[in-house]
Amino acid sequence: GSKGGYSSYSNIGSVTFTLLEPSDVTIVSVTSSTLSISWKDNSVNENSFEILAGIDSSTFTLAKSVSANTTTTSIEIIGDKLMMNGITVRAVAKYSKSKISNTVIFSPSQVFVGGGTFEMGSNNVVDNAASPVHTVTIGDYFIKTTEVTQAEWKRIVEWKMAHGGTTLSSNPSHFQGDELPVDQVSWNDIVLWLSYLNEKQGSTKFRLPTEAEWEYAARGGKLSKSYIFSGSNTQNDVSWDLFNASSKTHSVGTKGPNELGIVDMSGNVWEWCSDWFAAYASGSLVNPVGPGTGTIKVVRGGSYAHDTGSRVAFRASNPPDLRHPTHGFRYVWK
């Protein structure tokens, strides 16, 4: 009896056989940088399996090919492969391919931020150098859902070590753990790391967010509910900080998300932005990138060691060569 419907025939000489699609595709594990899946093989005639990934079934493209003698694999979800939240599998023979399997959905590691206009800054003195409030218009972009983890940092540094070498440490962090945010990375270190990510992906698009992009995303973009913190008016709901973090970082994504589904934009580690730090101007701006020169770079979002820094409007800054356990990052692209 048949194990399931067929989708195509393969012809080798005078032999015709049915190529059955895989089934029971299951997520085995998901980290911030890797997705592992397994599936059931319903045929004996394939030469390989293709793992397809996309935002939905209309955008599925080949993410990886594996041999016919395996029914489990892992996919790196960093760089361009972040552009997916659906995974499916099909069997492949010499002359044909099966139908795709069931599709599994996982929580994506990127968020699309639809552009818009918002009031940036704050006239509250608690928000440190955030006045005057001014109107800013931002275009569309993608932002990483979580802060970059130590596992992600290590993967790119080790790739570069095998492709020309690097002076970056594979794990510079004070607090050690794969799913903890990478810390003790300077602005200069991050720019170099992002150049490696772009090199690996054959891209030039991955970069630090501008301060305006950072704040717009932290506020929830078009979905903003004008919270004080990123996703809530209750700090403890969304932030690892001086009041609850026990003087250490915590695994990314263990506090609640904001309106866009982004996590840790309040607390855990300060996040470097691309801008040089300067006082705000009062006029309206479109896609501002900050001053052309300066001596200190913007950091936003607070950390495990700070109190009011978790507020979405709070501004801070440090020299671009500073490495400190309270500092990490996330990145954006268009």
Side-chain angles (χ1 to χ4, degrees):
S2 172
K3 296 181 182 178
Y6 69 86
S7 60
S8 60
Y9 289 100
S10 287
N11 294 283
I12 301 177
S14 60
V15 178
T16 301
F17 59 79
T18 303
L19 193 60
L20 300 171
E21 63 267 27
S23 62
D24 300 332
V25 179
T26 302
I27 294 175
V28 177
S29 64
V30 179
T31 72
S32 59
S33 57
T34 304
L35 172 74
S36 296
I37 61 170
S38 65
W39 60 90
K40 182 180 179 181
D41 181 5
N42 292 317
S43 185
V44 296
N45 300 313
E46 70 276 352
N47 297 323
S48 63
F49 293 105
E50 290 183 346
I51 292 81
L52 308 175
I55 296 173
D56 54 44
S57 59
S58 66
T59 64
F60 281 147
T61 57
L62 180 65
K64 188 176 185 179
S65 293
V66 297
S67 64
N69 60 1
T70 184
T71 55
T72 184
T73 194
S74 295
I75 300 170
E76 185 181 1
I77 49 175
I78 192 168
D80 287 337
K81 291 191 177 66
L82 285 166
M83 301 299 298
M84 64 184 187
N85 58 14
I87 298 289
T88 189
V89 181
R90 67 185 173 198
V92 180
K94 186 173 183 180
Y95 297 106
S96 64
K97 298 179 180 182
S98 77
K99 289 181 180 177
I100 62 173
S101 66
N102 61 298
T103 299
V104 292
I105 304 297
F106 70 99
S107 179
S109 295
Q110 83 288 333
V111 169
F112 174 72
V113 183
T117 299
F118 75 110
E119 297 304 300
M120 184 173 178
S122 167
N123 291 324
N124 190 326
V125 294
V126 175
D127 289 318
N128 190 48
S131 64
V133 175
H134 54 293
T135 302
V136 173
T137 300
I138 295 289
D140 297 345
Y141 58 101
F142 289 88
I143 191 168
K144 196 171 184 309
T145 309
T146 70
E147 294 161 333
V148 171
T149 66
Q150 292 171 33
E152 293 173 279
W153 178 275
K154 181 178 180 181
R155 182 172 288 108
I156 295 302
V157 172
E158 290 186 344
W159 175 85
K160 184 58 180 176
M161 286 178 177
H163 293 80
T166 176
T167 58
L168 292 179
S169 167
S170 64
N171 195 348
S173 300
H174 176 74
F175 301 102
Q176 294 281 310
D178 282 352
E179 291 305 300
L180 296 178
V182 65
D183 68 64
Q184 286 192 149
V185 285
S186 70
W187 188 94
N188 294 331
D189 293 337
I190 292 163
V191 170
L192 186 57
W193 186 89
L194 287 169
S195 76
Y196 300 156
L197 174 59
N198 281 316
E199 180 184 352
K200 185 176 187 294
Q201 299 298 326
S203 170
T204 58
K205 63 188 179 183
F206 300 105
R207 57 177 174 80
L208 281 169
T210 66
E211 185 178 16
E213 288 171 333
W214 190 97
E215 185 170 323
Y216 182 61
R219 289 181 177 275
K222 290 181 177 180
L223 303 180
S224 178
K225 296 180 181 179
S226 301
Y227 291 131
I228 298 170
F229 306 99
S230 185
S232 179
N233 285 327
T234 303
Q235 188 167 352
N236 186 61
D237 289 348
V238 293
S239 173
W240 289 115
D241 50 57
L242 180 66
F243 305 113
N244 61 10
S246 300
S247 300
K248 62 182 180 181
T249 59
H250 292 257
S251 294
V252 299
T254 50
K255 285 291 186 177
N258 76 355
E259 299 93 316
L260 289 169
I262 309 169
V263 294
D264 295 320
M265 294 197 85
S266 287
N268 220 4
V269 288
W270 289 102
E271 299 181 15
W272 290 100
C273 295
S274 60
D275 310 44
W276 293 108
F277 184 88
Y280 285 155
S282 58
S284 298
L285 299 169
V286 177
N287 293 320
V289 297
T293 60
T295 59
I296 49 178
K297 289 289 185 178
V298 174
V299 292
R300 299 294 300 265
S303 80
Y304 66 86
H306 293 80
D307 47 10
T308 56
S310 294
R311 296 166 64 95
V312 292
F314 191 97
R315 304 180 77 209
S317 58
N318 271 307
D321 59 353
L322 176 77
R323 296 185 178 108
H324 196 274
T326 58
H327 283 51
F329 74 109
R330 75 182 72 219
Y331 53 85
V332 301
W333 65 98
K334 293 185 177 181

